Amino acid sequence: MVRRAEPVSLRRVSMTTLLRFDRIPCHRRRMFELIDEIEDSTGCIWTIQALDSEGGLRKTRIRLGWADYGVWSPDGGISPERVAEAVVSFALRHAEFSPLPELLDAAMARRRVPDADAEIGRLIR
């Protein structure tokens, strides 16, 4: 019996650099993009547009505090935007964040899911 390849979709990975798209399995991840950024002395907040499982567009926000950023990028070599994208990808994979809250704080991932730090770290790299 011949098995067909999994269907793939595209996810926008970065808005600050040249457009780059990654192929990802449809059933595992949903498409999303970070559409703006507000930075202050405590961290950054982005607005997220995400497609839900029915194809509807949902807007929410993600907050990445500098303390959480330091966990995943201790030397500052990874952009805060990339860390935020990994946290959103992580949240979309876990039922604890379904539906996405109106404000998703990166620290929530660390409190709600065991081993979140390691999993998010793998998503960044």
Side-chain angles (χ1 to χ4, degrees), residues 64-112:
L64 175 65
W66 294 129
D68 297 308
Y69 172 71
V71 169
W72 293 300
S73 182
D75 64 355
I78 300 166
S79 73
E81 180 182 42
R82 181 68 197 117
V83 173
E85 289 172 338
V87 172
V88 173
S89 292
F90 173 85
L92 290 172
R93 294 174 177 205
H94 289 83
E96 292 89 346
F97 300 99
S98 182
L100 283 177
E102 190 171 310
L103 176 61
L104 170 65
D105 192 299
M108 292 169 69
R110 304 179 72 217
R111 288 191 303 264
R112 290 186 183 180

Side-chain angles (χ1 to χ4, degrees), residues 18 21 27 42 49 63 67 80 90-91 102 105 107 110 113 120:
L18 294 175
F21 292 91
H27 68 283
T42 64
Q49 290 188 143
R63 180 182 183 285
F90 173 85
E102 190 171 310
D105 192 299
R110 304 179 72 217
V113 180
I120 292 170

Side-chain angles (χ1 to χ4, degrees), residues 33 35-36 46-50 58-62 88 100-104:
E33 66 180 336
I35 57 174
D36 63 13
W46 291 267
T47 300
I48 305 165
Q49 290 188 143
R58 178 172 168 83
K59 285 191 179 183
T60 190
R61 294 176 301 145
I62 179 169
V88 173
L100 283 177
E102 190 171 310
L103 176 61
L104 170 65

